[in-house]
Amino acid sequence: MARPRKPLLNRDRIVETASVLVDSEGLEAVSTRRLAAELGVSGPSLYNHFRNKDEILEAVADAVSAKVDLSMFEEGDPRDWRVALQDWALSYRSALTEHPHIVPVLARGPGRRPAGLKVADAVFGAMVRAGWPPAQATYIGALMRYFVTGSALGSFARGFVDDETAYDPADYPHLGQAHLLADHQEKVDEGAFTTGLRALVDGLACQYESGGYGKAGYGEARPEHTAHHGAFSTVRSAPKGP
């Protein structure tokens, strides 16, 4: 039997092709008609794998989430929770900055996406094991997602034009060098992220110490420390945060 001239259509091929379109042209470039043309198949054949464009974009987003390193949250990993959070945030942001156009989809939360839920579960579980009460562990997961996805949604440095005349010192006495920011995008944006990340983790460390978390008993596995439905859980029996 002769081999088919083109690879058989499957979810992975569709997601890979859609990812390329999103990266190069943005979310609006993705449509079932465009994807079918790119894949060399008929439009209806896509519906054997995805019901609509939204499902395809969710799958693209989940493929990005799957690239985030979670090794620091494994139970046998020796890293302290502070270091683990920082290492994870750096990996998370790296994955997002490589695929900036899909960030708005990721920013909505994991929904039912398997890889996204694994990220949420790993962060929550690691914080509880470190001694954080479940409610506070939930807040930390939310806080870090806000911070990382927000940083990946756009460049602060490129928010300023390279025209010196746009920043009249009479109106903006402190923006005399703002027109130079775009030329130093990576340094400015990376510096802002690492500064903010350090401040966040240092602030959490202060709460951790003042709340007496991490003492005997806090890190023990208890039924109320389980995340329900694969997402974060806040329970009535959780100790109150600071």
Side-chain angles (χ1 to χ4, degrees):
M1 181 181 295
R3 293 182 178 180
R5 293 182 179 179
K6 296 181 180 179
L8 296 175
L9 187 64
N10 55 45
R11 287 178 65 91
D12 289 343
R13 280 193 67 211
I14 296 171
V15 171
E16 183 179 353
T17 302
S19 296
V20 172
L21 282 177
V22 171
D23 286 344
S24 60
E25 301 180 38
L27 297 175
E28 296 304 317
V30 178
S31 67
T32 52
R33 178 179 296 180
R34 176 74 183 277
L35 282 173
E38 294 287 335
L39 290 162
V41 299
S42 62
S45 63
L46 297 178
Y47 297 115
N48 293 324
H49 304 278
F50 295 97
R51 290 183 297 179
N52 49 45
K53 169 183 173 177
D54 287 342
E55 280 196 357
I56 295 172
L57 292 178
E58 288 288 316
V60 171
D62 211 39
V64 174
S65 292
K67 297 179 179 181
V68 180
D69 182 15
L70 299 177
S71 64
M72 67 289 296
F73 296 135
E74 294 175 357
E75 293 194 41
D77 192 279
R79 278 171 281 192
D80 176 81
W81 68 266
R82 302 162 184 81
V83 177
L85 267 185
Q86 292 184 74
D87 289 350
W88 167 68
L90 290 169
S91 175
Y92 188 10
R93 182 173 183 268
S94 177
L96 267 57
T97 53
E98 288 179 4
H99 307 279
H101 292 149
I102 200 64
V103 174
V105 178
L106 285 161
R108 296 200 293 260
R112 297 178 180 272
R113 299 192 298 269
L117 289 171
K118 286 183 179 179
V119 172
D121 184 74
V123 177
F124 180 85
M127 293 305 100
V128 169
R129 285 197 307 275
W132 286 99
Q136 293 298 113
T138 299
Y139 304 153
I140 291 170
L143 168 66
M144 297 304 291
R145 184 166 67 82
Y146 297 154
F147 179 64
V148 177
T149 57
S151 73
L153 280 172
S155 165
F156 175 83
R158 289 199 176 279
F160 296 87
V161 299
D162 61 0
D163 180 4
E164 185 175 4
T165 64
Y167 308 104
D168 189 330
D171 296 320
Y172 315 107
H174 306 296
L175 296 182
Q177 302 295 308
H179 65 288
L180 302 175
L181 288 174
D183 291 335
H184 303 278
Q185 177 193 351
E186 184 174 352
K187 181 179 181 180
V188 172
D189 292 347
E190 292 291 334
F193 181 78
T194 55
T195 298
L197 178 59
R198 185 166 56 248
L200 280 177
V201 175
D202 286 350
L204 288 171
C206 288
Q207 292 186 39
Y208 186 83
E209 296 300 328
S210 64
Y213 307 140
K215 294 181 179 179
Y218 265 105
E220 296 176 1
R222 298 199 296 270
E224 66 268 26
H225 285 183
T226 301
H228 297 295
H229 306 300
F232 296 130
S233 160
T234 302
V235 296
R236 293 181 180 178
S237 58
K240 293 182 178 180

